[in-house]
Amino acid sequence: MAETVIETRNLTKIYRDFWGRKKVRALNSLSLDVHKGEVFGLLGPNGSGKTTTLKLLLGLLFPSEGSISILGRSASDVEKNERIGYLPEESYLYRFLNANETLDFYGRLFNISAAERRDRAEELIKMVGLQDARRRQLKEYSKGMTRRIGLAQALINNPDLVMLDEPTSGLDPIGTREMKDLILKLKDQGKTVVMCSHLLADVQDVCDRIAILYSGELKVEGRVDDLLKSREQTQLLTSTLDESALDEIKQVLRKHNAELLQVDQPTTNLEELFLRIVHESETRPGHRVTTPETEPQKAVVEAGSK
Amino acid sequence: MDFDPTPYPLVDSILMWLIVGGAIALMVTLITVVVAMLTGVRGLAPRAKRGLSDFLLVSPRRVWALTMLTFRESVRRKVLLVFVLFAMLFMFAGWFLSGEVSQQGAKIHISFVLTAISWIVLPVALLLSCWGLPEDIRLRSLHTVVTKPARRSEIVLGRMFGFAMVGSVIVAVMSVVGYVWMQRQSPYLVSGVDEFVQDGESVKRVQFANPLVIPQDKLEVKVDGKANLVESAQDLKSKLPDVYRLYVDALNQAQEDVLACRVPVHGALIFLDSEGKKTSKGLNTGDIWEFRSYIAGNSKQAAIWDFDGINQEQLGDTLRLEARFETFRTHKGKIDEKLRANFILVNPDSGLRVPLDSFAVNEYHDGDNVTEVKRKIQYFDETTAEEKSADLYDELVVDGKLRVEVRCLDSGQFLGMARPDLFVRAPDRKFASGFFKACFCIWLSMLVVVMLGVTGSCFLKGPVATLLTLVFLILGQGLAMNFLEKVTGDKWKGGGILESSVKIVKQHSLTAPLEESQTTTVIKKIDQVGSKGLFLLRWVLPDFRHYSEASTWVENGFDVQFMSTILACIATTLGYFLPCFSIGYFSLLIRELESK
């Protein structure tokens, strides 16, 4: 069993008004475990309590009830932050600083030496692709650029636990893909990533485990594969089949007491298509990009038992 | 202002600081425990322990990072544009200030510069410090800081130091610019320049136009009675080089006279009554302000100052006694003549008495009443009716001690004086010395405003924090502080707030006590508690009088003394550091930065 990095027990957050009267129960008795080295996703619609959970974990909010243990320490313990990187939902960085100054400032907060700060900032700026904009103040950055520098500041201390609040929000498909690749890279490096998002496809692509919240309550928690797997159906992916082949398959299925539910051409998703088009445009400028109709087809056969 | 530089009671102040700070800390602790018990908060002790450890474990590197962030933020938000406002003030101030050519004129210039610095830097410090943190919280930039290993204590310190740094730059630039501006703009008055210069083999008597107003375009110079009109100083230099040197000396002297930095050595004052007996106070001529006591003319009454620290190394061969007496006439006398008084120097051990020549009392003329006492003093001894001489340091000063007796010579007239009205004037310091000390005190007052502002902004929103700090700033000034001191002191007649209110409503005499009854007892008890609250308030408020006092000294041509003024400013500023830091830290610690 992997080491538990985050543990919450009966975590509850109630927002109160000035007179101490209960206003909103944002989180209700949440008990979660996040293990070392996994990518954990917090899912839910707006107002479900994802960001509240993240802020409780970071000590920005105080729990009304329940307990939090994060990296073996209390959420209010400042020293835990030595090993945490946090990317907030919006870009809350200091807009009057440029990229170099931003990374230098946050590096100083970790008491990182000047030489190491410089090297780390260089590496991170290169990683997030802001070499050309490093001397511009953040107020001049686009939303995507501010997300990138936000991510760079979250990684300045080479953290063991990275918390990302809506990491792909505001990014174009390329940026989204890079962000997802980076999350997987962080996972490969043995880091634990906790992200909250309402972009389900992003979560599905990178998360090992997820928890779905609704109105502040935990509805589902588990491995993504397990949660999405349909045990009543079987899917085969073959090269393109003609009608006779399909008839034969149907007969075989009937023999095994199963039914052919769907025969279809597999589709890619828009993100894949977009990335491919961008890639081909870069490698073969001036040429029209080939569409999927011109490519060899494969067939998807879905079968279900009677 | 009474210009009585009494040494700052540092030990008493520290004791009061401990008492007031301890009382407030105790009250806050009790309230916290009660609130925690009522709201069911558990684990108060471990929380307090963690809070205290965070409070003490401050990383200087992180504080420096936050300080520089704050400074950079202020600069990039164009705070330093206040210099434009300052420049505008100075560009046009000359139109309104340069008219009067006198020492009073220079006083207005000095006052203008110091007030301008103070009135620009304090509002800037107030707004910056009150809005910095709330904006940081509103824009959530602080989230990216508190989720790093930065402690709340470091954030408070970083903010305080950062804004202090901005204020320091403003004060430093403005004081240097102000100083240069004064040197160039203050009107000098050279009266009675009348010197002899060697010109080749002959000696010429040179007279400048009297009064000589500098700077001016044309100079009238008389050489041996013959008037010469020169177009400019440069013209004078080429035409009459010897006279030019005299002119430059006169300029420098005039500037030193106007932009003076007098260093007074004050003594202890006692009086002799009409029978010649020692008394602590002189006569009261009915003046409501009991600051000065009076002695009657041509009587046994006298004022006696005992000076200490009179030594030749410090003061030189010539002793300068500067007086600022007030007269009270019971009859017109000779209306065109001033009252006369004289000094008698007395050896405190042997009792040797050396009367000096009498002098006319110039009222309201600072710096004009200087009596220079040469080391060898010729005097007429009335007891032996002989002309004698005495050595100042060998025969009159004993172990640095000298007694000076003052008598009024006009019958039926009175001379009023207080301790600071007569002092031995040590060699003047450079004007820059006093001026920059006053700027230093303004800088210290800016630090207090920054500390109060940052503290307020740790638990209040920007506008409310601004209002709170402004209230502190206003109540800390002379008028409110004097009132609070009067209310909380023993001099208040008519009872406490409630008692006097009852008396007003009942149209009861304010000075007569209320009738003894249970109600009266309750009223008095409530007043006692209220009085304690006001006492606490008086000591919680920063006493900004100390800071403005430094400027007043300089405006009036004095140096700013360390023991009486600068020490008071430093102690007051330091006294606010720990309470502000603690309140700011704990406020930020218990505050949810993301609370909706």
Side-chain angles (χ1 to χ4, degrees), chain A residues 13 55 60-62 76 78-79 81-82 86 92 94 96-97 101 106 108-112 153, chain B residues 50 59 61-62 73 76 136 139-141 144-149 151 589-590 592-594:
Chain A
K13 179 64 191 174
K55 284 172 180 169
L60 293 169
L61 291 172
F62 306 146
S76 57
V78 177
E79 281 169 20
N81 295 340
E82 295 275 3
Y86 168 55
Y92 301 143
Y94 291 96
F96 54 87
L97 298 178
E101 290 166 342
Y106 289 109
R108 279 170 186 267
L109 295 184
F110 287 98
N111 277 340
I112 300 172
Q153 66 80 28
Chain B
R50 195 170 59 236
S59 155
R61 291 176 75 179
R62 276 197 287 267
E73 178 183 20
R76 296 208 175 150
D136 228 7
L139 298 172
R140 297 177 178 174
S141 319
T144 55
V145 176
V146 294
T147 50
K148 304 282 182 289
R151 294 184 163 83
L589 190 70
I590 60 170
E592 279 190 326
L593 295 174
E594 188 51 41

Side-chain angles (χ1 to χ4, degrees), chain B residues 22 54 98 113 134 143 165 171 222 230 243 289 299 318 373 387 416 422 434 457 476 574 580 591-592:
Chain B
D54 272 5
S98 62
V113 171
H143 288 189
M165 198 187 268
V171 171
K222 281 183 183 172
V230 289
V243 177
W289 194 34
S299 72
T318 304
V373 184
E387 283 284 342
L422 177 68
S457 70
L574 288 180
C580 285
R591 181 176 178 177
E592 279 190 326

